[in-house]
């Protein structure tokens, strides 16, 4: 079985990446000042229905660049979901503010807007929502809460390239949104990130922050704010221009394959796939997420994971703990609201990676077959 399955490789590149990299190599300007960087920023911003894009070295530093440029820091609180990659929370801590961890909804895996609203205090400055695995959080409800309480609504859209809420792409729904182009993401240059916003002055502030405090029109050795160098290189931008061109067809393939796989397993009791709100009009399909109900499924999440691993199907048994259970948050100030759904997901959730969904239709039948046979054998 192992040898037979054709699991797609990730990342992928072809002649288009090589052609664009060559363009940069020829120029003798390989760094952040190559025209390719601006080209990618404009193309990605337009693709996500946004006006301004400010690229940076990765999706952790984009979050810090954004929070810092908004003046969020000591004495402020930022509401974050209890389930995400650690940078969602550490970016808040590293600018000197306090992350407030709130629960997720049980089956969308996204921040529960009611829990976010209940956690607002006099110190709250922003809600930093994560679109976990690709599908957007309930942006109608979150926009309503943010505006009712005078808070900034920020998106950690690291998973959500191409995802939409009622026809609008991730990034165009809050004040600003942060993306990652790290090696495992749906488009990648190995590393990289970008913040998108419709706010011109915020874009200018972030550009200055990530370019050593420089300002347009001023001379090279004039530095106006306490910034740093976060510039994406021309070589990375070249790869990302090519990756963006390929993204729509990859999303279509993943959507088709995800539907096929879930349909084939529809009669199996005990796997609850991620709930996708009907207002989500497109999904990146970064992760195919699910939860195992051991009593109905006849197998625990850990047994399910081991069985897939043995059969050669890539699967991750979710995160080993909630964000606040990371050792760093035993000694870093934070506030933790009750998070029973997040804690339950740690025990019973899993994900299949996006590149599995780029395989042939036949692979989806094989994966479904592996799962079925394992259940029948028990
Ligand atoms: C939700 C989320 N936010 C932020 C990041 C940080 O991005 P990067 O790895 O590019 O620093 C990641 C991922 O890696 C992520 O998954």
């Amino acid at each position: 079985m192992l040898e037979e399955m054709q699991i797609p490789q990730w990342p992928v590149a072809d002649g288009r990446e090589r052609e664009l990299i060559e363009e940069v190599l020829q120029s003798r300007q390989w760094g952040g000042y190559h025209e390719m960087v601006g080209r990618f920023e404009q193309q990605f911003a337009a693709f996500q229905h946004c006006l301004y894009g400010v690229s940076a070295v990765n999706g952790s530093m984009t979050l810090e660049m954004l929070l810092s440029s908004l003046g969020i820091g000591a004495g402020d609180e930022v509401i974050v979901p209890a389930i995400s990659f650690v940078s969602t929370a550490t970016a808040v801590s590293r600018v000197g503010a306090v992350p407030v961890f709130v629960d997720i909804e049980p089956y969308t895996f996204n921040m529960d807007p009611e829990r976010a609203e209940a956690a607002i205090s006099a110190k709250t400055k922003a809600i930093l929502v994560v679109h976990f695995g690709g599908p957007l959080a309930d942006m109608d409800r979150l926009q309503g809460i943010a505006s009712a309480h005078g808070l900034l609504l920020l998106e950690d859209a690291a998973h959500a390239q191409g995802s939409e809420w009622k026809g609008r792409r991730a990034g165009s729904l809050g004040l600003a949104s942060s993306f990652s182009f790290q090696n495992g993401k749906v488009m990648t240059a190995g590393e990289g990130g970008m913040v998108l916003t419709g706010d011109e002055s915020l874009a200018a502030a972030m550009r200055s922050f990530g370019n050593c405090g420089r300002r347009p029109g001023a001379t090279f050795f004039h530095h106006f704010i306490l910034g740093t160098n976060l510039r994406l290189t021309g070589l990375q931008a070249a790869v990302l221009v090519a990756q963006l061109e390929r993204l729509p067809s990859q999303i279509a393939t993943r959507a088709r394959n995800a539907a096929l796989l879930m349909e084939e397993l529809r009669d199996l009791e005990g796997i609850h796939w991620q709930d996708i709100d009907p207002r989500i009009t497109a999904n990146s399909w970064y992760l195919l997420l699910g939860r195992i109900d051991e009593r109905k499924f006849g197998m625990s999440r850990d047994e399910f994971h081991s069985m897939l691993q043995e059969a050669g199907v890539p699967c991750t048994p979710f995160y080993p703990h909630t964000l606040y259970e990371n050792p760093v948050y035993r000694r870093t100030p934070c506030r933790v609201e009750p998070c029973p759904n997040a804690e339950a997901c740690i025990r019973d959730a899993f994900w299949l990676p996006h590149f599995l969904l780029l395989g042939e239709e036949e692979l989806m039948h094989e994966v479904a077959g592996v799962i079925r046979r394992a259940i029948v054998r028990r």
Side-chain angles (χ1 to χ4, degrees):
M1 175 59 72
L2 222 172
E3 290 72 40
E4 289 164 22
M5 262 196 272
Q6 295 294 314
I7 308 290
Q9 302 288 305
W10 188 261
V12 290
D14 64 19
R16 184 63 177 145
E17 273 86 355
R18 289 185 191 92
E19 177 192 337
L20 290 162
I21 288 173
E22 187 59 27
E23 208 181 295
V24 179
L25 288 176
Q26 293 297 332
S27 75
R28 312 273 163 242
Q29 171 51 274
W30 298 353
Y33 295 107
H34 192 281
E35 165 280 322
M36 193 71 78
V37 177
R39 196 194 305 181
F40 174 59
E41 287 176 340
Q42 276 171 16
Q43 287 181 359
F44 187 66
F47 179 76
Q48 294 291 142
H49 306 159
C50 284
L51 277 177
Y52 306 103
V54 181
S55 59
V57 289
N58 58 52
S60 302
M61 292 313 296
T62 47
L63 288 168
E64 289 185 39
M65 174 171 86
L66 170 61
L67 294 167
S68 216
S69 302
L70 288 168
I72 292 174
D76 298 333
E77 287 182 349
V78 177
I79 294 174
V80 298
I83 296 295
S84 183
F85 182 67
V86 72
S87 300
T88 310
T90 49
V92 174
S93 305
R94 284 173 53 83
V95 300
V98 172
V100 178
F101 296 104
V102 301
D103 208 2
I104 56 169
E105 297 169 327
Y107 295 108
T108 67
F109 297 86
N110 277 326
M111 179 188 277
D112 181 336
E114 311 311 319
R115 304 318 320 149
E117 186 165 34
I120 294 169
S121 78
K123 295 180 181 169
T124 309
K125 283 288 176 314
I127 298 175
L128 177 54
V129 62
V130 178
H131 306 310
F132 198 73
L136 270 63
D138 184 342
M139 294 306 281
D140 287 354
R141 190 74 191 95
L142 287 163
Q143 278 167 340
I145 293 167
S147 70
H149 295 269
L151 306 178
L152 305 172
L153 180 59
L154 310 174
E155 298 170 73
D156 182 342
H159 301 179
Q161 293 87 342
S163 296
E164 290 177 5
W165 180 259
K166 298 199 294 196
R168 288 176 61 197
R169 297 240 162 105
S172 66
L173 296 138
L175 169 64
S177 57
S178 168
F179 290 83
S180 165
F181 307 118
Q182 163 270 338
N183 207 65
K185 297 294 184 285
V186 293
M187 44 183 286
T188 183
E191 304 288 353
M194 198 183 301
V195 178
L196 301 181
T197 183
D199 184 317
E200 190 177 4
S201 60
L202 174 60
M206 290 190 291
R207 196 168 290 294
S208 178
F209 182 87
N211 193 17
C212 305
R214 295 189 176 98
R215 274 189 194 152
T219 58
F220 196 73
F221 293 117
H222 262 78
H223 308 273
F224 296 87
I225 60 163
L226 196 55
T228 185
N229 176 4
L230 299 178
R231 295 188 303 273
L232 190 80
T233 68
L235 291 166
Q236 289 168 298
V239 174
L240 286 164
V241 167
Q243 297 268 309
L244 179 59
E245 288 170 1
R246 210 177 283 117
L247 185 68
S249 72
Q250 290 175 329
I251 287 180
T253 305
R254 284 196 290 268
R256 235 185 2 258
N257 279 336
L260 193 75
L261 185 58
M262 289 188 287
E263 179 57 30
E264 281 219 9
L265 296 172
R266 202 154 60 105
D267 61 315
L268 278 192
E269 277 196 59
I271 300 189
H272 194 136
W273 300 104
Q274 183 174 29
D275 279 352
I276 312 266
D277 190 300
R279 289 168 291 181
I280 289 161
T281 42
N283 182 11
S284 65
W285 293 104
Y286 172 58
L287 305 174
L288 183 57
L289 280 148
R291 291 182 67 181
I292 298 285
D293 178 337
E294 185 174 347
R295 274 177 315 145
K296 288 188 188 156
F297 195 64
M299 178 185 276
S300 70
R301 186 274 314 270
D302 289 339
E303 288 168 314
F304 176 73
H305 167 248
S306 308
M307 176 272 289
L308 286 183
Q309 288 288 103
E310 265 168 47
V313 179
C315 172
T316 302
F318 213 63
Y319 293 121
H321 34 52
T322 61
L323 283 181
Y324 54 82
E325 289 165 322
N326 271 293
V328 58
Y329 281 108
R330 280 184 220 136
R331 50 178 196 278
T332 307
C334 65
R335 182 151 67 80
V336 183
E337 295 289 309
C339 296
N341 294 330
E343 290 176 12
C345 286
I346 296 299
R347 294 190 293 273
D348 66 19
F350 68 94
W351 68 67
L352 306 179
H354 61 93
F355 56 83
L356 181 71
L357 300 174
L358 289 177
E360 299 294 322
E361 213 178 290
E362 184 52 31
L363 179 64
M364 302 306 118
H365 299 307
E366 286 172 358
V367 172
V370 165
I371 296 174
R372 246 174 218 297
R373 278 192 295 279
I375 295 294
V376 170
R377 270 206 304 274
R378 289 177 68 85

